[in-house]
Every structure is written in C-alpha cells, then in structure tokens.
Amino acid sequence: MKIVLKGGRILDPSQDLDVIGSVVLENDQIAEIGTKVDERGADELYDCTGCWITPGLVDIHVHLREPGYSHKETIITGTQAAAAGGFTTIACMPNTDPPLDNPALIDFLLDQSSSPEAGGVFVAPIGALTQEMKGERPSDFAALKRAGVVAASDDAFPLQNSAVMQRCMELCRQVDLPVATHCEDQSLTMGASMNEGAMSAVLGLRGMPRTAEEIHVARNCLLSFETGCPLHILHVSTWGSVAIIEQAKDLGAPVTAEVCPHHFSLIDDQMPPFDTHWKMNPPLRTKLDVETLISALAAGIIDCIATDHAPHARHEKDVPFEQAPFGIVGLETAVGVTLTHLTHKGLLSPLETVRKLSTRPAEIYRLDAGTLKPGRTPVAQVAVIDPDLEWTFDVNKTFSKGKNSPYHGCVFKGKTMLTFSGGEVYRDQHWDKRPQVQNA
Amino acid sequence: MRLIGIREMDVDQIENLIAFSLRLKAACRNGGELPSLHGKSVGMLFLEDSTRTRVGFEQAALRLGLHTTSFGMQGSSMSKGESLKDTVLTLKSEGIDGLVMRHKCSGAAMLAADLFEGPVINAGDGMHEHPTQALADAMTIIENRDSVAGLVVAIVGDALHSRVARSNIWSLTKLGAEVRLVGPKTLLPKFPAGLPVEICHDLHSGIQGADVVMALRLQKERMTSGLISSTGEFASLYQINSRALRFAKPDCIVMHPGPINRGIEIDDATADGSQSVITQQVENGVYVRMAAFAYVFGLNGEQQRKSKARSRAS
Ligand SMILES: [Zn+2]
C-alpha cells in the first residue's frame, strides 16, 4: 500500500522543516518526504495543495473515562474524537473508576485502545500518583512504569498534602517518571465554581481565586527543584503561574507546562449566565491572563497545548451551575481554536503551532510521536490540516460522547482534514468537497 | 413571562411592577377590585428552608385565587434523588401553570424557567437574586420618600453572600439611587467592578449622608468559616444603632430584609424604632408577590378578568 500526500506545506518541528512538498507512506510507514518524491505506483494520492502536512498531533491531557464512566466517554469514542481532531497519540488521565493505579488496569486500557475501532490512535496511560487517588500512599511507580504508564498524576484530585507530594516526587524521580499536577489549594476553592472576579460577584457564585492555583504551582515547582523529579504543570490558567514557572525554569528545575485552548481563547466575563458548558477547573480567567498565557506559549515558558478533554453526559450538565461537574470536551475543537486565536492572528507561526500541538508534548512524556522522520514512530502518524477552511462547530456532530462544549456554533478557521495512523485513515467530510486534482 | 432577576429587567418593568403593587395595596385596603388568577395553579418549589417568603407567596396567591401546591425537599421525589430538571418537567407535564422557586444554588431559577417554559418566579436562588424582596424594598422606599432617584442607600453587612443585596443593587441603581456596600473585606465582593456600587469598609463613612440604611442578616456560618472573628466584633464595627445613625441623614429610614438577628446587625431599639420600616417591607412583600404573579401570568395593570377581593377570600 502506497499513499502519496502531494504538494502540501510540510511542517515538521522535529527537523525544523517548513517546505512545500509531498510525503509518501508505504506499508504504514513514512517512506519519503521532500520536494521531489517518487509518486509512481501510488495506490492513493491526496492532493494537499493549500494544506499543512504535519506529524500526527499529540494531546497529553485527555480523560477517556473508561473504566467506570463509559456513559461519558469510552476508549473507542474518545480515540475516534482524537482522530477527528488530528491527534494520533493521546495520554489519558487516571481518574477513572477504579482509578488507573495498578498494572492490570493499564493492561486493560492498552488492550482496549489497540482495538481496530480505536482508529489507530495510540493511547499512553498516565498512572495514579497515589493509591486509589486518595492522596495518601504513593502508587507502585516501578510496576506502573513497567506496565507502560508515561507519567503519574493527581489530576481531578489535587494533592493537598505537601509531604505526600514530596514523597511521590522522590519515588517518581527514582524510576524517572514525570509527575503531572493539577495545581489547586482546595482550602481556597471550597464551594467555588468559577473564577473569582467581576462576573462571579454579579452572578453570586463563589469564586476560585487565582492564588489557589499559584500557591500549588509554586509548591510543586519547589518540590521538583528539590527532588529533581520532572514536573509537568497541567492546564496553567493565570499570569501568576506563568511568572512562577518562568522562575522555576530559570532556576533549572525540570519543569514543563501546558495550556488549554479554552484558557487562551475565552474569559470569564464572556460566559452566558450559568451556562454549565463554560464550567471547568481551572476556570476561565481574565483578558490579562489570556494575553500572558499566549505570550508565554510563544516564548516557550509554557511548552505545549493540551485539551483537558473532559466529557460529561448531558444530564450531568443539565443541573444548577454549582452542582455541575467541571470540564469540557476539547479534542475536536483544538485545531480550530488554536489556528483561529493564535496562528491566524500572527501570535504563533505555523511551524510553532505544530510544535505546540505535536512535537513538544511528545517530548514531555517521551512518546514516539510528533515527528515525520521515517522510522521514528511505530507507524506513520500524519495529519493534514486545511488552515484556511472556515467551518462552524456543531457539537451534535462530534465523535465524542460528551457534548459539553462552550464552542457550539462558533466559526473557526482551520480544520483537520485527514489523519493517518498506520493503516487507519480518518477523512473529514469537508475533504471530499475540496476541488481535487487528478488522481494517480 | 418570568421574573428571575432584576439585573435583566429594564427600568420600565421595575417601575410598572412597583406601581402595580401600590395599586394592589390600595385595592386590598379599600376592598377594591383585584385581578383574578382563579383556576390557575402554581407549584411552590421551595428546595431551601424558608418560611417568610413562602408564606408571602401563599398569601399573595390566595388573594388572587391562585391554587398553590407546595413541594419541599423532604417528602418530594427530589429527596429520592430526582433531579431538578425531572422535577420541573414532571410538574409541567402534570399541568401546573406556574412555578415559584427557591433553591440554594445561584442560577437554579433560570435553569428551571428554561425547562418549564412558562410563568416562573424566582423566590431566591443561592447568592444570586431575590427579585420580589428587592421590589418590596423599593416600594417601601417610594412610600416613604416618593422616589428612589437621587437617594443614597447604604447596604450594611454580608453583601457577598446576599441575594437580597444583589437584587437591591440592581433595582435601586436602575431607579436612580446611589448604592454603597458597607462591611468587612471578607463579606464584600473582592471584585465589585460588575456591580454599580461603591465599597466602604468603615461604617461611619459608609452611611454618611444616607437616606436609607439597610442592614443585612449575618449568618452564623460566617463566623464558623472564619470570615469574621466573632459576631460581637462584627456588631461593634457594623451594627445599625442610634450611635451609627447619627452619621446618616436625620430623617433616614432603616430597613432589614429579615430574618433579623437582633443585637447583631441591628439593635432592638433601632429595629423597633420610629425610623424603622421593617414591618412595612414585610407587608409590601405580599403586594409585590401578587403583582409578580399577575405579571408572569400575563396580566398587567389593565386586568382583563376582575373579581371582588372579598368574594373569593371567604
Ligand atoms: Zn485538572
């Protein structure tokens, strides 16, 4: 089987490549990439004129909900949503029921995700930082790592006890496993459901102060510096967190950080009153935070973009705001939001955009992904993105089971057209509407 | 129609509702004609403790010939885990014509109204709004001062957690008053930019020159959660009493939306004193709730269907 992706803009940050050219996939591997490739004998030829050809995108913050919450999402629907978004590798969070705190569950997850229905999307599991995610005893990190976890995390149940966090980092350092933390001092956020600001004051909702996040960003950075444990800060949302992360990096602490598309494209004041599809944790902040997050991403202080894809069932969000669960879906809007809000505004170059969505996140968890170099990924992982396609996001037409998105009805510029992962191909409905040149 | 929050109402709507309430008050007192909602039913969905407000609505319903059915948390299907959505949809299917809702969560009344798609009155949602209380307060001020425009109103105490304060802020400023929130930093919004108020942490400067001083109830919970050091300390700094009132205008009126903690946010003598209009607020609450029922059921001041006030009450 020979597939030729012809005449697109090849963007591969792993080799600082930004050229017009073609990519040849042969027997599920990348065979050739360049301006002059051998098209002869191609079984399929895709005219990629006007499109980007990039390494398959990588999302290192996804909630797949299985086991335990398959009414919100399953491994299959989650991976299908990923493929539709251009993602060929995703890392999934351990806050399932039971939580991913032992090798047997990791085996189950890897087994499920390698089923043919999963669209060839690679799932890299993140293990629970503490047993049963109770915040008390550290997990067996050596066993988890042998089973295939790429990091350990307390996401959804942020560790309040600093001593436990310190011990977890010591132990993870010992087996060289990155620790990913949701930074929130929950004594400051009791009963709160949105950013503490002008809007929370108007709506009469208890506010989450920015300091609740920043205190734990600072604490975890200090513990990372002390223990030498690689620390990944999840979903940074405030300018204060950015300042602390920058300082930690300057000190030489092995710290990385991610930002979610909603945190750089929406602010708390824009929320329609009590719309639970705008409720997530950390909450949407302010204009100053958005500006700071974007410049920090461009400067590399924040390393990458991750979605924190957090599907919930409709009935779970159809409740009073304060009672609704936190989280929104993100896999199928990430490219649209990022290109619309960053790339087309000139805040991030196309090559840097792909770096933040693919190459850099793969490096953070040391995944075999995020590159078009032949032989560097288990199978060919490629995304074809039309950066100029304008489209309206309809949450009812997504692959994810979760319909909890604040972007329903939004017009975006930029969409994933094709996703290749090994022999699996996702093809967007817009692709067939493109004017096609001659097939081979 | 729905009555969810004063913030989303325009000045005309607010003024009409108050004028209507004043006419209803006069009609009730002189045995005049009242609008009739006879044959209509309303579900009283009180999912948070409240006696005063519920009684006020029941009284108002009675005078209009409205049939009420009460639902509390206990004994209802919600205690068996039914969601608010299902409860509201069930009441709708059962043919209930309207809803009055009290809920501990901000925004719950809006959610219920979106689902019910019929007449809904918010009887207090979390820390968000309590529109009928604010209308009763504005009506009381108008009875004592003719107009709200140009007045200085000091709202003293726990405005952060108060839906009454939020609704009053919107109604009074829309009617042209200047509103000040007075209290300790921990009980006032930290980011008040979205609210048309002035923030004051010192009682004396806060009520300086005020035409209206409104004390808010201090929940005991504020002390246990550490927002203030003690009720005694709060009282010494923010209690409305004769000493404090020396700084307000000599003829200022004193209000309290109730229930009162005597000796904490207001002292006995002031609550019962000549400047207090607290009982008038309670009485006006009934007329405002009558007007609110008529409003959400689509009857305006020019009622189509009239009946004698007395004939039905018997
Ligand atoms: Zn999180």
Side-chain angles (χ1 to χ4, degrees):
Chain A
M1 182 76 162
K2 179 170 176 175
I3 299 170
V4 177
L5 309 176
K6 185 182 159 79
R9 180 174 181 181
I10 301 172
L11 294 164
D12 182 4
S14 75
Q15 32 192 333
D16 287 317
L17 197 63
D18 181 354
V19 292
I20 303 294
S22 301
V23 172
V24 180
L25 313 182
E26 225 170 332
N27 302 323
D28 303 342
Q29 297 289 336
I30 291 174
E32 204 184 347
I33 122 174
T35 47
K36 282 183 92 68
V37 298
D38 185 4
E39 292 173 20
R40 283 172 303 171
D43 300 285
E44 289 174 19
L45 187 140
Y46 294 86
D47 176 11
C48 296
T49 310
C51 288
W52 297 353
I53 304 172
T54 77
L57 305 183
V58 177
D59 187 354
I60 56 173
H61 191 162
V62 173
H63 295 269
L64 284 181
R65 304 299 190 202
E66 239 190 318
Y69 304 107
S70 51
H71 65 287
K72 297 175 192 268
E73 191 84 288
T74 64
I75 293 165
I76 301 300
T77 56
T79 49
Q80 286 172 345
F87 296 94
T88 53
T89 302
I90 58 177
C92 67
M93 282 295 176
N95 61 325
T96 49
D97 184 19
L100 306 179
D101 68 350
N102 67 73
L105 285 166
I106 302 301
D107 288 345
F108 159 81
L109 191 93
L110 292 173
D111 189 54
Q112 288 285 301
S113 64
S114 55
S115 106
E117 290 167 273
V121 171
F122 286 81
V123 176
I126 297 171
L129 194 57
T130 56
Q131 294 176 38
E132 298 174 64
M133 294 197 88
K134 279 186 173 166
E136 292 159 7
R137 289 196 295 162
S139 302
D140 182 346
F141 300 119
L144 283 172
K145 190 169 185 190
R146 271 197 307 278
V149 307
V150 297
S153 180
D154 65 349
D155 195 32
F157 302 101
L159 266 191
Q160 298 303 295
N161 185 316
S162 303
V164 177
M165 181 59 91
Q166 197 262 7
R167 277 149 215 170
C168 285
M169 284 203 196
E170 293 282 22
L171 294 168
C172 281
R173 170 80 180 90
Q174 202 173 319
V175 296
D176 198 20
L177 194 65
V179 168
T181 61
H182 172 122
C183 295
E184 178 186 351
D185 182 332
Q186 291 177 315
S187 67
L188 287 167
T189 57
M190 287 251 279
S193 48
M194 71 176 293
N195 182 46
E196 182 181 50
M199 189 49 90
S200 69
V202 167
L203 296 179
L205 290 167
R206 285 186 171 77
M208 308 175 102
R210 54 184 59 251
T211 41
E213 173 176 322
E214 292 154 359
I215 285 168
H216 270 211
V217 169
R219 181 197 75 173
N220 294 347
C221 283
L222 288 167
L223 291 173
S224 163
F225 185 66
E226 179 205 339
T227 60
C229 179
L231 169 69
H232 180 63
I233 310 272
L234 301 165
H235 43 47
V236 175
S237 78
T238 76
W239 64 262
S241 295
V242 169
I244 295 163
I245 290 163
E246 182 174 25
Q247 211 181 349
K249 286 186 165 189
D250 285 348
L251 271 175
V255 173
T256 54
E258 68 183 32
V259 63
C260 300
H262 46 273
H263 286 132
F264 63 66
S265 59
L266 303 173
I267 62 172
D268 61 350
D269 284 355
Q270 296 169 326
M271 179 178 90
F274 306 112
D275 187 339
T276 57
H277 293 152
W278 288 60
K279 180 177 175 180
M280 70 290 284
N281 187 5
L284 300 173
R285 305 285 187 183
T286 66
K287 193 159 166 278
L288 176 64
D289 296 296
V290 166
E291 289 165 0
T292 310
L293 291 168
I294 292 172
S295 51
L297 181 66
I301 299 163
I302 292 176
D303 297 81
C304 71
I305 296 167
T307 67
D308 191 7
H309 177 81
H312 292 291
R314 215 178 269 275
H315 72 266
E316 294 168 324
K317 284 281 196 180
D318 275 350
V319 297
F321 194 85
E322 290 160 82
Q323 295 176 341
F326 290 105
I328 62 168
V329 291
L331 285 166
E332 291 165 83
T333 45
V335 165
V337 174
T338 303
L339 267 64
T340 305
H341 287 269
L342 304 183
T343 322
H344 290 304
K345 288 186 181 166
L347 301 167
L348 216 52
S349 70
L351 189 66
E352 285 307 303
T353 303
V354 177
R355 192 188 305 278
K356 311 300 184 191
L357 282 167
S358 178
T359 309
R360 187 66 191 127
E363 287 167 358
I364 290 170
Y365 288 162
R366 300 160 219 169
L367 308 171
D368 296 327
T371 177
L372 292 174
K373 285 182 192 164
R376 296 290 285 273
T377 52
V379 292
Q381 298 183 14
V382 184
V384 174
I385 295 167
D386 182 343
D388 297 314
L389 182 83
E390 293 196 23
W391 60 289
T392 304
F393 176 61
D394 181 350
V395 80
N396 300 307
K397 293 190 177 146
T398 57
F399 288 84
S400 172
K401 276 193 176 185
K403 306 301 174 191
N404 46 314
S405 171
Y407 296 111
H408 178 60
C410 284
V411 176
F412 295 124
K413 190 174 178 185
K415 193 172 200 315
T416 300
M417 291 283 108
L418 303 166
T419 308
F420 297 87
S421 192
E424 305 290 334
V425 186
Y426 164 78
R427 193 153 133 173
D428 191 86
Q429 49 154 347
H430 290 88
W431 178 262
D432 300 315
K433 296 179 196 153
R434 282 168 56 88
Q436 298 288 312
V437 287
Q438 225 39 43
N439 264 14
Chain B
M1 297 289 279
R2 50 163 78 175
L3 184 55
I4 303 301
I6 307 279
R7 183 166 82 106
E8 64 209 30
M9 294 169 72
D10 58 36
V11 184
D12 282 351
Q13 282 174 303
I14 297 168
E15 283 178 343
N16 287 341
L17 269 167
I18 294 170
F20 192 17
S21 307
L22 286 163
R23 287 205 298 281
L24 289 168
K25 183 173 186 174
C28 283
R29 289 200 166 167
N30 322 326
E33 298 205 89
L34 296 176
S36 170
L37 288 168
H38 190 73
K40 298 275 183 197
S41 60
V42 63
M44 307 279 282
L45 207 50
F46 277 68
L47 304 172
E48 186 192 54
D49 286 342
S50 150
T51 333
R52 300 159 45 91
T53 306
R54 202 187 62 225
V55 169
F57 274 105
E58 279 168 357
Q59 272 306 111
L62 184 70
R63 293 184 190 181
L64 299 173
L66 249 181
H67 181 78
T68 59
T69 314
S70 277
F71 302 87
M73 202 56 194
Q74 273 82 41
S76 74
S77 44
M78 287 194 80
S79 61
K80 293 173 192 149
E82 187 178 63
S83 70
L84 176 63
K85 176 177 174 173
D86 287 319
T87 301
V88 169
L89 293 179
T90 302
L91 293 176
K92 190 183 170 188
S93 310
E94 285 167 347
I96 293 268
D97 299 306
L99 279 185
V100 175
M101 188 159 105
R102 160 71 61 96
H103 199 283
K104 65 172 194 265
C105 290
S106 300
M110 189 179 286
L111 175 68
D114 289 344
L115 295 164
F116 191 71
E117 297 176 308
V120 175
I121 300 174
N122 180 9
D125 62 328
M127 306 175 348
H128 177 224
E129 286 226 34
H130 192 354
T132 55
Q133 179 66 49
L135 291 168
D137 293 348
M139 174 179 171
T140 306
I141 294 173
I142 288 169
E143 284 181 324
N144 286 280
R145 283 290 179 284
D146 295 328
S147 164
V148 173
L151 300 183
V152 174
V153 181
I155 300 177
V156 183
D158 183 10
L160 179 63
H161 302 90
S162 172
R163 53 191 168 217
V164 174
R166 275 184 188 74
S167 286
N168 264 308
I169 288 166
W170 295 116
S171 66
L172 297 175
T173 54
K174 286 181 187 204
L175 294 172
E178 175 194 325
V179 174
R180 300 180 194 151
L181 301 183
V182 187
K185 280 196 160 190
T186 48
L187 296 181
L188 295 185
K190 195 191 275 181
F191 300 96
L195 300 167
V197 295
E198 216 183 294
I199 296 281
C200 226
H201 300 301
D202 170 60
L203 179 65
H204 294 164
S205 53
I207 68 175
Q208 187 76 44
D211 300 279
V212 177
V213 174
M214 186 184 294
L216 298 172
R217 178 179 171 80
L218 184 79
Q219 310 270 4
K220 296 273 186 319
E221 181 201 324
R222 306 298 167 233
M223 194 173 59
T224 49
S225 58
L227 291 170
I228 53 167
S229 81
S230 68
T231 49
E233 187 221 32
F234 178 86
S236 75
L237 292 173
Y238 296 104
Q239 188 183 76
I240 303 307
N241 50 36
S242 58
R243 228 168 340 110
L245 286 177
R246 285 206 308 265
F247 294 88
K249 288 222 178 112
D251 61 345
C252 96
I253 57 170
V254 174
M255 307 181 78
H256 192 301
I260 301 177
N261 290 308
R262 284 177 188 261
I264 298 178
E265 67 264 6
I266 189 166
D267 76 342
D268 243 0
T270 309
D272 301 331
S274 60
Q275 288 171 283
S276 166
V277 296
I278 295 171
T279 51
Q280 201 180 337
Q281 287 174 269
V282 179
E283 190 198 346
N284 287 343
V286 178
Y287 306 118
V288 160
R289 280 154 197 146
M290 289 170 74
F293 276 130
Y295 170 77
V296 297
F297 276 101
L299 298 183
N300 49 24
E302 320 300 318
Q303 315 97 27
Q304 300 92 339
R305 299 193 292 160
K306 295 182 177 181
S307 66
K308 282 278 179 199
R310 307 269 169 210
S311 60
R312 226 181 15 265
S314 54

